[in-house]
Amino acid sequence: MSNAYIDDFPAEAKVVRATFYSSFLALAIGGLFGIIQTLHRTNVFRFIDSTDYYTVLTAHGVLLALTFTIFFLVGIFTWAVTTSLDRGVEDLRFTWGWYGLMVVGTVFAGIPIFAGFVDSIDMSASVLFTFYAPLQGHPLFYLGLVLFVVGSWLAGVDWFRSWWAWKQENPDERIPLPTFMALTTTLMWYLATLGVASAILLFLLPWSLGLIETVNPLLTRTLFWFFGHPVVYFWLMPAYMMWYIMLPKISGGKLFSDPLARVVFVLFLVLSVPTGIHHQYLDPGIAEGFKFIAMTNTMFLLLPSLLTAFTVVASMEHGARQRGGEGYLGWLTALPWRDPVFTGMALAGLMFAAAGFSGMINAGMNINYLVHNTFWVVGHFHLTVGTAVALTFMAATYWFLPQVTGKALWNRSVALAQVVIWFLGMTFMSNAMHRAGLLSIPRRTAEPQYEGVTFDAAVGSVGELNAQIALGGTLLFLSLVLFFTNVIGTAFNGRSDDLPANEYAETLSGPEDAPLVLDNLKLWTAIAIVLVIFAYTFPLMSIIQRGGLFGPDINPFPASVDSLTLLATAIEHSATGALASAGDLARSTLVGVIR
């Protein structure tokens, strides 16, 4: 009988298990904050002050978009590299070192965020997930982010060390597909994080420490989005890996094409980074030509997603027909829909297809203006990281947790219900968010109601949209409860000898059918760097030329306002305006008398 992962790699299994549990803790806290802000914003149930909403929103974004996703990712990639290379990590102390650094970074960043709930503590970081200037957080927040990112860099070094050692022993072998996916993703991450690292180390951290007085807000914003869009693919690429190497096997078949999978990950490496300016279509300090280039680059990213849809669906169909499925669509009924791992990943992929359509709206320059900074963007974001990534990771947990603990899954029926409820909850919530965005209902605010402003829905009402959002958020929270019930139940189960083997899908078309150039990581990295230089050199030079390296004299937010000074200024402006009006009236009257 084949062994589980913990049998083959007991030491590495402990590391992977630790990354999973760290990921799940972030998911639990971030998910709790998610339901709080959902009920608060829809005015269904409010028990926090609206000023604390932004602290909740920051914690929700940072814990889920960074901590949950990346902790799970480093665990998955450690499994992928060790399993596909059939060798343990080179130095286990180094592996525990980068994990510990990521934990310390998370704690450091979390302290000022949670301190924002306590007025007596002079520390806060309610700067949202998009933490660019003029929002200013406590220095500990930025230091924590640096440590967390450096930890992820070292994790990549760990995987490269394993590959280099394997390559010395197998010089003529092609890079195994899971390792290839992990390495290309890591190279993309190294390139993408140069932007956010520069923003924090050169500007935001010195600014928060008082070492420099001002920063250029547009520059820090651009450096953030240099990282802010490719980080989406940093979350998605491990989900893609699961779809490529796990879904075909669970379906009962083989991966349709190893070469196509390699092409997809090469395209993500090359195309992911020079796209961030499409988040800045409404920024007046960036020329329209630079925005057009970003739009063009973004549209090219549709290609790897379409190739993935084709390859994964073809692989699932092959598996279904091996199980007896027939007809043009009849094979769908032969798929293992009672398996929570398969169903969760398949539903996540279906949701990602919907996210692709709304993403094309975000990527187009002129049509983006209609939905920019509205609830539409939140709906899109919850389809991508909130479903394509999160639901894939939760479904994959039902296969991986027994592998790294040696314990059978607590309850498969509960797991199946959990993934289906998540899909339903996100269907309600994301649909309503997209529709609300079409009404120009804003995002990032605890109070979307404005005096004298009404939002008229073409179908239904704003009340109906809020009800859908609240219902969807409640279902998502219920799904999380079921997920953690299963995780905890599995953790307290006894050891099992009846676990699935630690294997991934074989291929119909293997690596021998792929051109050797696909494995030339130096070439693809060089091309990616050239494209980034082409896309960002002139915009950054233009921003610095206009606003300076450290920008104009701006005040950080949140900022206190001296009410007496404000009142005096208002009176001064009013008096000046009144005198000017009186002078005009006197002059016109005198002219009339003379005539």
Side-chain angles (χ1 to χ4, degrees), residues 223-260:
L223 289 173
F224 175 87
W225 285 120
F226 181 102
F227 145 89
H229 191 77
V231 72
V232 174
Y233 297 102
F234 192 56
W235 307 324
L236 278 170
M237 288 162 79
Y240 273 43
M241 183 178 77
M242 292 296 96
W243 298 349
Y244 275 111
I245 69 174
M246 298 300 296
L247 267 181
K249 181 174 180 60
I250 298 170
S251 301
K254 298 180 179 180
L255 175 62
F256 180 76
S257 173
D258 175 292
L260 269 181

Side-chain angles (χ1 to χ4, degrees), residues 34-182:
I35 187 64
I36 290 173
Q37 67 188 67
T38 297
L39 298 179
H40 182 96
R41 184 182 162 105
T42 54
N43 205 24
V44 172
F45 178 58
R46 293 187 167 192
F47 62 91
I48 62 170
D49 190 89
S50 286
T51 55
D52 290 331
Y53 176 90
Y54 302 98
T55 302
V56 170
L57 184 57
T58 301
H60 176 73
V62 171
L63 287 175
L64 293 187
L66 291 178
T67 312
F68 158 62
T69 54
I70 297 178
F71 265 121
F72 198 89
L73 176 151
V74 294
I76 286 288
F77 280 175
T78 301
W79 165 85
V81 170
T82 53
T83 297
S84 61
L85 297 180
D86 195 21
R87 63 183 300 130
V89 296
E90 297 306 297
D91 184 351
L92 198 63
R93 292 172 300 178
F94 183 84
T95 304
W96 280 111
W98 59 252
Y99 167 74
L101 195 61
M102 291 177 66
V103 170
V104 171
T106 300
V107 172
F108 279 12
I111 288 173
I113 293 176
F114 286 93
F117 291 114
V118 184
D119 294 336
S120 59
I121 301 178
D122 187 20
M123 179 186 292
S124 69
S126 299
V127 292
L128 311 187
F129 163 68
T130 52
F131 47 83
Y132 38 72
L135 296 177
Q136 186 185 77
H138 191 273
L140 195 60
F141 171 75
Y142 299 118
L143 178 61
L145 292 179
V146 169
L147 294 178
F148 184 81
V149 170
V150 170
S152 71
W153 288 350
L154 295 178
V157 171
D158 209 4
W159 306 324
F160 269 97
R161 290 177 68 188
S162 293
W163 170 58
W164 287 328
W166 175 88
K167 189 176 180 181
Q168 297 303 315
E169 301 171 2
N170 304 272
D172 299 325
E173 295 289 328
R174 301 297 295 271
I175 306 174
L177 183 59
T179 296
F180 181 86
M181 292 174 166

Side-chain angles (χ1 to χ4, degrees), residues 386-409:
T387 306
V389 175
L391 186 54
T392 295
F393 286 2
M394 287 187 285
T397 297
Y398 297 135
W399 189 87
F400 280 104
L401 201 57
Q403 291 289 324
V404 298
T405 61
K407 302 174 181 181
L409 185 65

Side-chain angles (χ1 to χ4, degrees), residues 273-520:
V273 180
T275 59
I277 288 177
H278 84 241
H279 288 264
Q280 299 176 263
Y281 284 153
L282 264 65
D283 285 12
I286 300 176
E288 295 297 300
F290 299 143
K291 296 174 183 177
F292 180 81
I293 292 172
M295 179 186 72
T296 305
N297 292 338
T298 305
M299 292 301 179
F300 278 121
L301 274 170
L302 290 172
L303 178 58
S305 294
L306 291 174
L307 289 175
T308 295
F310 169 77
T311 307
V312 173
V313 172
S315 303
M316 290 166 55
E317 181 181 356
H318 173 261
R321 296 196 184 279
Q322 301 306 303
R323 298 163 62 95
E326 298 178 349
Y328 287 113
L329 297 176
W331 58 270
L332 289 169
T333 61
L335 292 169
W337 294 106
R338 294 184 180 276
D339 186 332
V341 182
F342 171 83
T343 300
M345 290 189 189
L347 293 178
L350 184 62
M351 274 293 195
F352 186 64
F357 290 113
S358 64
M360 285 190 286
I361 303 299
N362 299 336
M365 282 180 64
N366 50 356
I367 200 167
N368 176 280
Y369 298 157
L370 301 176
V371 296
H372 187 86
N373 219 27
T374 70
F375 233 21
W376 171 285
V377 179
V378 185
H380 169 75
F381 198 67
H382 280 80
L383 285 181
T384 52
V385 66
T387 306
V389 175
L391 186 54
T392 295
F393 286 2
M394 287 187 285
T397 297
Y398 297 135
W399 189 87
F400 280 104
L401 201 57
Q403 291 289 324
V404 298
T405 61
K407 302 174 181 181
L409 185 65
W410 179 69
N411 193 304
R412 288 172 61 87
S413 297
V414 170
L416 183 60
Q418 183 264 317
V419 297
V420 172
I421 291 173
W422 188 275
F423 177 80
L424 293 175
M426 197 60 76
T427 299
F428 280 115
M429 190 171 81
S430 180
N431 166 64
M433 285 177 170
H434 279 89
R435 289 172 55 203
L438 295 178
L439 307 180
S440 299
I441 294 177
R443 60 184 294 208
R444 290 191 178 118
T445 176
E447 307 292 343
Q449 303 83 19
Y450 298 99
E451 184 176 350
V453 176
T454 59
F455 302 105
D456 298 320
V459 178
S461 66
V462 173
E464 172 257 324
L465 295 179
N466 283 336
Q468 272 201 52
I469 293 171
L471 173 61
T474 303
L475 289 175
L476 293 173
F477 185 71
L478 172 61
S479 178
L480 279 182
V481 171
L482 295 178
F483 175 74
F484 288 116
T485 300
N486 228 338
V487 168
I488 295 171
T490 303
F492 284 97
N493 256 346
R495 287 294 296 262
S496 173
D497 295 328
D498 187 24
L499 295 176
N502 180 37
E503 298 173 345
Y504 54 89
E506 297 178 359
T507 59
L508 291 174
S509 175
E512 66 279 359
D513 298 323
L516 283 172
V517 71
L518 285 178
D519 286 8
N520 191 339

